[in-house]
Amino acid sequence: MNPTVKSRVLLTAATSVTALFALASPALAHVTVQPDGEAAKGGYATIGFKVPNERDDASTTKLEITFPAEQPLASVLPQPVPGWKAEVTKGKLDKPLKVHGSEITEAVTKVTWTADGKGIEPGFFQRFPLSVGQLPEDGDQLVFKALQTYSNKEVVRWIEVPQEGAEEPRFPAPVLALSEAADGHHGGTSGASDKAEDDAHAEDGKNAKNGEDAKDHASDASGSDTTARVLGVVGIVVGVAGVAFGVLAGRRRDTGARS
């Protein structure tokens, strides 16, 4: 191959690879949200926001997650994260929610985590878990917006909503996919309750069976003990009779010898 042509080919290949990595970098390192198990419509779920540090010279010191106003959540409980302080912000609802027969007039609008120490240092990531519910029964996803603040005051806004059929945006917002409720129940909580109830019934049945087995065992043991006592008494009687017979036989032999 001509040296000039070869150089052009190599240059083109290098440029393409560089461009590929440049486009892929944001996709590999953006803020994401995933459920612990599944997030079923109408139920409760534990979700976690995964936050990687993209900088080599700064640490992530703050994370703000904004909740969708059109799909309000009445219950949001953060799990303690060592080295971080969590703050839950609530706001009034334009239209009250009905949850378990009660009317809810406010919902969580934002959760903010602030580092007490070094935060997320270069080369590391951190998970921020939340217990959330009730999840909406309509719609297939929840779209959050995340602001990631670094120790050098830089703020990265992960707020671009991905569109179906389009390329992933440069700064995509975290999206939580919602699954269908199983067996007619709303979410994992109802299913978990039913499973717990079934387990409780199974445990009761097991305990009852163990009780019957124990009773039968005690009865068998009692019968065995009585039989052993009877045999013991019979043995003693037989032994005494044998000794008496032996003594009597000895006396007869002595008497016969004297005669």
Side-chain angles (χ1 to χ4, degrees):
M1 181 183 290
N2 188 294
T4 303
V5 175
K6 185 176 181 180
S7 299
R8 288 178 180 176
V9 171
L10 292 176
L11 180 60
T12 302
T15 303
S16 300
V17 171
T18 302
L20 179 62
F21 276 103
L23 291 173
S25 295
L28 293 174
H30 57 252
V31 175
T32 57
V33 59
Q34 292 292 333
D36 183 3
E38 67 173 12
K41 298 177 182 180
Y44 290 79
T46 298
I47 63 176
F49 289 89
K50 181 180 178 182
V51 183
N53 193 325
E54 297 182 299
R55 303 293 177 261
D56 296 327
D57 56 354
S59 298
T60 296
T61 57
K62 188 177 182 180
L63 174 68
E64 300 171 72
I65 299 295
T66 300
F67 286 69
E70 66 280 6
Q71 296 170 303
L73 299 178
S75 175
V76 177
L77 301 174
Q79 179 178 321
V81 177
W84 294 80
K85 178 183 178 181
E87 180 182 358
V88 178
T89 303
K90 294 184 177 183
K92 292 290 183 180
L93 293 173
D94 295 333
K95 183 180 179 181
L97 290 174
K98 285 189 177 181
V99 180
H100 300 307
S102 300
E103 192 173 82
I104 306 299
T105 58
E106 64 178 13
V108 173
T109 58
K110 183 169 66 173
V111 178
T112 304
W113 287 270
T114 306
D116 289 336
K118 295 180 180 179
I120 309 173
E121 298 183 87
F124 292 88
F125 75 91
Q126 179 65 55
R127 278 178 55 86
F128 297 89
L130 291 173
S131 174
V132 298
Q134 277 183 290
L135 298 173
E137 296 183 14
D138 55 338
D140 297 322
Q141 63 183 25
L142 282 176
V143 180
F144 302 88
K145 293 185 179 181
L147 300 184
Q148 182 179 9
T149 302
Y150 286 90
S151 55
N152 60 3
K153 307 304 180 184
E154 177 190 5
V155 178
V156 181
R157 301 168 64 84
W158 304 98
I159 62 173
E160 298 176 11
V161 181
Q163 301 297 327
E164 187 176 355
E167 292 185 1
E168 186 176 56
R170 182 172 175 79
F171 297 99
V175 178
L176 176 67
L178 302 179
S179 61
E180 295 294 334
D183 301 328
H185 295 299
H186 294 302
T189 300
S190 297
S193 298
D194 292 344
K195 185 178 185 304
E197 187 175 353
D198 292 342
D199 290 344
H201 288 315
E203 188 65 22
D204 290 342
K206 182 180 178 181
N207 290 338
K209 185 178 184 305
N210 289 341
E212 291 296 330
D213 290 345
K215 204 178 290 184
D216 293 341
H217 180 72
S219 178
D220 291 343
S222 176
S224 299
D225 186 58
T226 301
T227 302
R229 288 179 182 177
V230 171
L231 291 177
V233 171
V234 171
I236 292 174
V237 172
V238 172
V240 171
V243 172
F245 181 80
V247 172
L248 181 60
R251 288 180 178 177
R252 285 178 179 176
R253 283 198 299 271
D254 293 339
T255 302
R258 289 194 188 118
S259 300

